[in-house]
């Protein structure tokens, strides 16, 4: 900072050293300047970057900019009562959070203080919130599926445990819904979940907590919330705290799912913090290291090999775009860091295609090796058929007399689109997904009335549960072997006979 301040700093230091020649002299500093959630202090000579410091009245902060003239400290929490001349104490600790199973079922803030009135959190173990990601040699390839229970995703954009899959789209396109449904679907699958809410309204977070609790999903989930009204520091820290909690489980061999909702707001919080710290602004006024902000976070997801615990962290970061612009600064950054993206569209969402996934722009670069054999086989043609249908439908709307083959292809495409629609909070079992997609892809629903497809398919699932129990489980485990496929076809034909009277056709 300016040299005037430095002079004062040296002056005071000499004064202080003159009075107390003890080693603690560099452990205590003085507040020189008070700003918006940021203070500038001098005298903390040995302070580490990222170290927690304490002020009187129990206020804490984190040392960020270490300069010759002093240290900039971002405060965690309010800054009521802090004034120039106050003392600042080193703690010798890098910011850390409690970790462990005691966190499950809890709602906490960015520094893991409970927000849910369920009493203090006693875990007995802490981890630093920042940590270097595991190296290449500690990892192994992603080949176990992480099922979302959402037909369109499990079939076309499969996710594997340890993968980083971005959910991207404009506001109100169902981004959070996909993440929350995925958490709900992890019930009894041995995956511990972390939902990090960054810069959202606390009422929205409360709704999500209620949803999770109502569906029995809070028992294996921890919610880390840094609301829009919280200081930007807390919003900045919250995803790293979440990652630290996940790492503890990962190293103990557990599979973890972590949702960052959302990283656009995280980047904005970091920009605000950086501007207050007087770091030079770059493109879109973000500081130069904004890429590192998210790369170091998402690198912490992955799958460890057996020698290193064998657990995994699957990350679902969310990014909000403006008017569908995927090529803006933060979206392109995060796209390049992740292993694929699920792209959601407003137009599709408003026309009733929910989840509003654009199959052309959505990809999963590693998940297909984690897909079970049967699903891979059944789902293989879907993406192509959808693309062809879209093209054909765009043409067909201008012509009145279509030949029979075109009509048939349109009918088929329309049914695939309908089949991939799915209500919120209604995850499907993998077996049922395979069955429904099999029936659709093999054209067993092409003569069913479009409006009645969902009814037809739900009925089909029930029919199999009652009359062909175990077939689909075998298919999911062994693949689509000829004898099993025959039985599926027999089951579907049977069901079609039953419902012929129900006017579904
Ligand atoms: P925001 O940008 O505000 O965070 P978002 O993209 O996270 O929004 P959601 O909050 O998940 O979107 O969903 C927006 C609305 O759409 C919600 O009211 C939700 O209930 C509804 N919705 C989302 N997915 C579906 C679905 N598959 N079927 C029906 N309704 C849905
Ligand atoms: Mg949302």
């Amino acid at each position: 900072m300016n040299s005037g301040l430095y002079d004062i700093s040296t002056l005071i230091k000499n004064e202080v050293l003159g009075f107390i020649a003890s080693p603690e002299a560099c452990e205590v500093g003085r507040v020189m300047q008070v700003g918006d959630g940021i203070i500038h202090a001098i005298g903390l000579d040995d302070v580490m970057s990222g170290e927690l410091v304490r002020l009187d009245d129990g206020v804490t902060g984190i040392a960020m900019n270490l300069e010759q003239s002093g240290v900039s400290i971002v405060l965690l929490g309010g800054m009521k009562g802090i004034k120039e001349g106050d003392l600042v104490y080193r703690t010798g600790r890098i910011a850390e959070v409690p970790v462990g199973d005691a966190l499950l079922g809890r709602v906490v803030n960015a520094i893991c203080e409970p927000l849910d009135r369920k009493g203090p959190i006693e875990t007995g173990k802490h981890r630093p919130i920042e940590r270097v990601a595991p190296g290449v040699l500690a990892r192994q390839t992603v080949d176990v599926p992480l099922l979302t229970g959402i037909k369109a995703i499990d079939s076309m954009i499969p996710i594997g445990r340890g993968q980083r899959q971005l959910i991207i789209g404009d506001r109100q396109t169902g981004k959070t819904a996909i993440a929350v449904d995925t958490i709900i679907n992890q019930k009894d699958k041995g995956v511990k979940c972390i939902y990090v809410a960054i810069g959202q309204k606390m009422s929205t977070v409360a709704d999500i907590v209620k949803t999770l609790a109502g569906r029995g999903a809070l028992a294996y989930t921890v919610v880390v919330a840094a609301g829009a009204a919280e200081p930007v520091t807390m919003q900045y820290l919250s995803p790293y705290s979440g990652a630290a909690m996940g790492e503890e489980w990962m190293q103990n061999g557990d599979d973890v799912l972590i949702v960052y909702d959302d990283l656009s707001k995280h980047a904005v919080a970091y920009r605000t913090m950086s501007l207050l710290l007087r770091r030079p602004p770059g493109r879109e006024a973000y500081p130069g290291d904004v890429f590192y902000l998210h790369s170091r976070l998402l690198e912490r997801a992955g799958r460890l090999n057996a020698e290193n615990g064998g657990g995994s962290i699957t990350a679902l970061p969310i990014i909000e775009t403006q008017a569908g612009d995927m090529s803006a600064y933060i979206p392109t950054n995060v796209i390049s860091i992740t292993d694929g993206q699920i792209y959601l569209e407003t137009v599709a969402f408003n026309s009733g295609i929910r989840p509003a996934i654009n199959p052309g722009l959505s990809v999963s670069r590693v998940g297909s090796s984690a897909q079970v054999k049967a699903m891979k086989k059944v789902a293989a043609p879907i993406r192509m058929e959808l693309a062809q249908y879209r093209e054909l439908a765009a043409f067909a709307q201008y012509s009145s007399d279509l030949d029979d083959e075109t009509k048939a292809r349109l009918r088929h495409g329309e049914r695939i689109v309908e089949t991939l629609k799915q209500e919120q909070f209604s995850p499907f079992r993998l077996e049922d997904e395979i069955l429904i997609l099999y029936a659709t892809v093999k054209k067993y629903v092409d003569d069913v009335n479009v409006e009645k497809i969902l009814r037809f398919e739900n009925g089909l699932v029930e029919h199999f549960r009652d009359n062909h129990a175990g077939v689909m489980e075998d298919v999911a485990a062994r693949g689509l072997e000829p004898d099993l496929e025959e039985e599926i076809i027999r089951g579907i034909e049977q069901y079609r006979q039953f419902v012929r009277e129900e006017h579904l056709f």
Side-chain angles (χ1 to χ4, degrees):
M1 213 165 272
N2 56 47
S3 59
L5 212 54
Y6 182 51
D7 291 345
I8 300 170
S9 138
T10 336
L11 218 120
I12 294 180
K13 201 160 64 192
N14 289 342
E15 288 283 303
V16 173
L17 284 177
F19 281 113
I20 26 167
S22 72
E24 283 91 53
C26 348
E27 307 289 310
V28 184
R30 242 175 225 289
V31 176
M32 291 304 293
Q33 223 178 36
V34 183
D36 203 358
I38 307 256
I39 55 174
H40 193 78
I42 55 159
L44 296 165
D45 279 5
D46 293 338
V47 77
M48 300 175 285
S49 175
E51 181 175 335
L52 271 183
V53 295
R54 200 164 44 75
L55 284 96
D56 292 326
D57 296 336
V59 180
T60 49
I62 295 181
M64 297 289 286
N65 283 6
L66 310 184
E67 289 159 1
Q68 271 200 322
S69 58
V71 194
S72 294
I73 294 165
V74 289
L75 296 177
L76 306 170
M79 50 186 313
K80 228 175 28 205
I82 296 173
K83 53 190 185 309
E84 284 176 28
D86 282 357
L87 291 177
V88 193
Y89 309 89
R90 278 191 64 186
T91 62
R93 294 194 340 256
I94 297 288
E96 55 186 17
V97 285
V99 291
D101 283 353
L103 289 170
L104 295 174
R106 303 300 304 261
V107 182
V108 298
N109 71 6
I111 47 175
C112 212
E113 293 165 344
L115 297 174
D116 55 7
R117 301 203 193 98
K118 287 188 191 162
I121 295 172
E122 276 146 24
T123 59
K125 195 165 178 199
H126 288 74
R127 286 182 83 99
I129 58 173
E130 294 271 7
R131 180 172 163 272
V132 177
V136 189
L137 294 178
R139 298 180 185 235
Q140 67 173 316
T141 44
V142 170
D143 57 13
V144 180
L146 185 112
L147 297 169
T148 62
I150 299 170
K151 287 173 281 184
I153 297 177
D154 290 340
S155 61
M156 291 188 292
I157 323 151
I159 302 173
R161 292 187 182 181
Q163 184 172 347
R164 300 158 301 175
Q165 183 76 4
L166 171 65
I167 302 173
I168 183 168
D170 281 4
R171 50 180 299 278
Q172 290 289 305
T173 47
K175 303 183 296 295
T176 304
I178 288 183
V180 170
D181 277 353
T182 307
I183 293 180
I184 292 173
N185 195 48
Q186 302 314 311
K187 196 169 185 180
D188 303 325
K189 292 201 172 68
V191 177
K192 291 177 176 160
C193 302
I194 303 165
Y195 178 81
V196 185
I198 310 160
Q200 297 189 39
K201 279 186 300 196
M202 273 312 202
S203 60
T204 317
V205 181
D207 280 345
I208 292 171
V209 172
K210 215 155 82 196
T211 307
L212 292 175
R215 284 161 208 273
L218 199 57
Y220 54 86
T221 305
V222 46
V223 176
V224 182
E230 295 254 333
V232 287
T233 338
M234 296 291 255
Q235 297 181 37
Y236 160 72
L237 288 177
S238 55
Y240 302 104
S241 303
M245 296 169 193
E247 277 164 350
E248 171 70 13
W249 287 318
M250 169 166 77
Q251 288 191 336
N252 290 335
D254 286 328
D255 290 316
V256 179
L257 167 70
I258 184 162
V259 175
Y260 301 114
D261 194 1
D262 62 59
L263 290 188
S264 307
K265 296 195 186 76
H266 184 234
V268 169
Y270 184 60
R271 173 169 67 187
T272 311
M273 205 175 89
S274 302
L275 291 173
L276 288 170
L277 285 168
R278 311 235 176 115
R279 292 179 178 171
R283 183 174 160 192
E284 290 180 27
Y286 289 105
D289 62 347
V290 72
F291 183 88
Y292 180 55
L293 177 76
H294 292 149
S295 65
R296 75 171 192 269
L297 174 69
L298 292 169
E299 269 301 296
R300 289 163 75 176
R303 182 156 176 239
L304 297 178
N305 59 20
E307 297 93 83
N308 287 280
S312 70
I313 295 183
T314 311
L316 295 180
I318 295 179
I319 285 280
E320 182 183 308
T321 51
Q322 310 291 330
D325 185 10
M326 279 218 284
S327 57
Y329 189 26
I330 302 299
T332 43
N333 278 356
V334 182
I335 286 173
S336 74
I337 300 165
T338 45
D339 306 304
Q341 72 268 353
I342 298 170
Y343 183 67
L344 303 173
E345 279 178 327
T346 310
V347 179
F349 188 84
N350 292 340
S351 69
I353 301 178
R354 298 175 187 185
I357 296 171
N358 177 323
L361 292 174
S362 303
V363 287
S364 170
R365 294 188 200 101
V366 296
S368 73
S369 50
Q371 226 172 358
V372 304
K373 249 171 39 195
M375 177 58 108
K376 204 171 188 166
K377 188 154 179 212
V378 169
I382 294 181
R383 191 188 278 269
M384 179 66 92
E385 283 183 351
L386 270 181
Q388 285 175 349
Y389 164 68
R390 282 196 163 201
E391 226 165 70
L392 207 59
F395 266 108
Q397 61 181 328
Y398 299 112
S399 66
S400 48
D401 54 333
L402 300 165
D403 61 281
D404 286 347
E405 202 214 310
T406 312
K407 273 192 204 152
R409 278 169 60 188
L410 283 173
R411 205 180 310 125
H412 186 57
E414 220 178 325
R415 267 118 192 118
I416 294 183
V417 171
E418 198 63 28
T419 301
L420 293 180
K421 287 184 188 171
Q422 193 165 330
E423 276 298 311
Q424 218 177 340
F425 312 133
S426 54
F428 277 77
R429 295 189 318 144
L430 174 69
E431 295 81 8
D432 300 340
E433 287 180 338
I434 298 176
L435 173 62
I436 291 172
L437 292 170
Y438 182 88
T440 310
V441 169
K442 298 289 181 186
K443 307 195 174 160
Y444 287 105
V445 297
D446 279 11
D447 53 357
V448 178
N449 198 328
V450 179
E451 285 94 61
K452 294 177 179 160
I453 293 234
L454 290 180
R455 233 177 83 198
F456 178 92
E457 290 174 343
N458 289 338
L460 180 65
V461 167
E462 248 168 62
H463 173 78
F464 265 70
R465 205 163 290 165
D466 297 342
N467 304 295
H468 303 271
V471 182
M472 294 318 296
E473 282 75 6
D474 282 350
V475 170
R478 277 164 43 200
L480 209 57
E481 288 176 359
D483 56 322
L484 292 172
E485 190 166 355
E486 258 168 45
E487 188 159 357
I488 298 180
I489 295 172
R490 218 174 319 126
I492 296 177
E493 296 282 9
Q494 236 176 39
Y495 175 67
R496 281 171 56 88
Q497 291 294 334
F498 286 142
V499 295
R500 222 162 256 290
E501 296 92 53
E502 283 187 40
H503 309 290
L504 293 181
F505 293 97

